[in-house]
Amino acid sequence: QVQVVESGGGLVQAGGSLRLSCTASGLTFPKYTMVWFRQAPGKEREGVSCISGSGLSTSYTDSVKGRFTISRDNAKNTLYLQMNSLKPEDTAMYYCAAGPYPLCISSWPRFEYTYWGRGTQVTVSS
């Protein structure tokens, strides 16, 4: 049975940093593109970042470019999102998801993802 579990969220002041982790079990982790989505109250879900199975292909939504870094450790079945220079508008529930895609092409936020975690809350105070 596949399990996807996020961790690392919390409350941080604007300008601060957090590192989110996502551990997946029950699947062949290197075969899956991994992504982070977020959803703030009253807003649509937004694709934040994507990384291919090899880690060689990555993509970011414009609002986080230069501040967030996605990475993965295939030996540990773990995905990361390093978030620096956090802003109040980054406040959201952050979800990790896995999909059987080879690359992170520009339309990746519109793909269907097979496995999802339950999310971890990130709150940035001003």
Side-chain angles (χ1 to χ4, degrees), residues 5 9 29 80 82 101:
V5 181
F29 189 71
Y80 303 100
Q82 178 66 44
Y101 307 112

mmCIF file of all heavy atoms in Angstrom, residues 5 9 29 80 82 101:
data_model
loop_
_atom_site.group_PDB
_atom_site.id
_atom_site.type_symbol
_atom_site.label_atom_id
_atom_site.label_comp_id
_atom_site.label_asym_id
_atom_site.label_seq_id
_atom_site.Cartn_x
_atom_site.Cartn_y
_atom_site.Cartn_z
ATOM 1 N N VAL A 5 3.624 10.938 2.979
ATOM 2 C CA VAL A 5 3.476 11.703 4.212
ATOM 3 C C VAL A 5 4.372 12.935 4.184
ATOM 4 O O VAL A 5 5.599 12.811 4.050
ATOM 5 C CB VAL A 5 3.828 10.843 5.438
ATOM 6 C CG1 VAL A 5 3.646 11.662 6.710
ATOM 7 C CG2 VAL A 5 2.964 9.591 5.484
ATOM 8 N N GLY A 9 6.093 21.503 8.095
ATOM 9 C CA GLY A 9 5.378 22.767 8.107
ATOM 10 C C GLY A 9 5.412 23.408 9.481
ATOM 11 O O GLY A 9 5.878 22.817 10.457
ATOM 12 N N PHE A 29 10.077 4.666 -5.996
ATOM 13 C CA PHE A 29 10.181 6.122 -5.903
ATOM 14 C C PHE A 29 10.889 6.760 -7.095
ATOM 15 O O PHE A 29 10.386 7.740 -7.641
ATOM 16 C CB PHE A 29 10.877 6.484 -4.587
ATOM 17 C CG PHE A 29 10.867 7.934 -4.254
ATOM 18 C CD1 PHE A 29 9.698 8.577 -3.869
ATOM 19 C CD2 PHE A 29 12.040 8.679 -4.288
ATOM 20 C CE1 PHE A 29 9.692 9.926 -3.538
ATOM 21 C CE2 PHE A 29 12.058 10.021 -3.964
ATOM 22 C CZ PHE A 29 10.878 10.647 -3.586
ATOM 23 N N TYR A 80 12.011 16.918 -0.968
ATOM 24 C CA TYR A 80 12.181 18.093 -0.115
ATOM 25 C C TYR A 80 11.727 19.358 -0.841
ATOM 26 O O TYR A 80 11.729 19.429 -2.071
ATOM 27 C CB TYR A 80 13.653 18.263 0.274
ATOM 28 C CG TYR A 80 14.252 17.074 0.980
ATOM 29 C CD1 TYR A 80 15.049 16.157 0.299
ATOM 30 C CD2 TYR A 80 14.023 16.858 2.337
ATOM 31 C CE1 TYR A 80 15.595 15.065 0.940
ATOM 32 C CE2 TYR A 80 14.564 15.768 2.986
ATOM 33 C CZ TYR A 80 15.345 14.869 2.276
ATOM 34 O OH TYR A 80 15.884 13.778 2.926
ATOM 35 N N GLN A 82 12.899 23.249 0.029
ATOM 36 C CA GLN A 82 13.530 24.271 0.852
ATOM 37 C C GLN A 82 12.912 25.613 0.497
ATOM 38 O O GLN A 82 12.959 26.033 -0.670
ATOM 39 C CB GLN A 82 15.047 24.305 0.601
ATOM 40 C CG GLN A 82 15.787 25.371 1.368
ATOM 41 C CD GLN A 82 15.770 25.130 2.869
ATOM 42 O OE1 GLN A 82 15.972 24.013 3.318
ATOM 43 N NE2 GLN A 82 15.522 26.191 3.632
ATOM 44 N N TYR A 101 5.379 10.307 -14.666
ATOM 45 C CA TYR A 101 5.764 11.120 -15.811
ATOM 46 C C TYR A 101 7.275 11.241 -15.874
ATOM 47 O O TYR A 101 7.939 11.283 -14.851
ATOM 48 C CB TYR A 101 5.117 12.497 -15.714
ATOM 49 C CG TYR A 101 3.619 12.419 -15.531
ATOM 50 C CD1 TYR A 101 3.028 12.806 -14.336
ATOM 51 C CD2 TYR A 101 2.801 11.915 -16.541
ATOM 52 C CE1 TYR A 101 1.663 12.703 -14.149
ATOM 53 C CE2 TYR A 101 1.438 11.810 -16.355
ATOM 54 C CZ TYR A 101 0.875 12.201 -15.168
ATOM 55 O OH TYR A 101 -0.470 12.092 -14.992
#
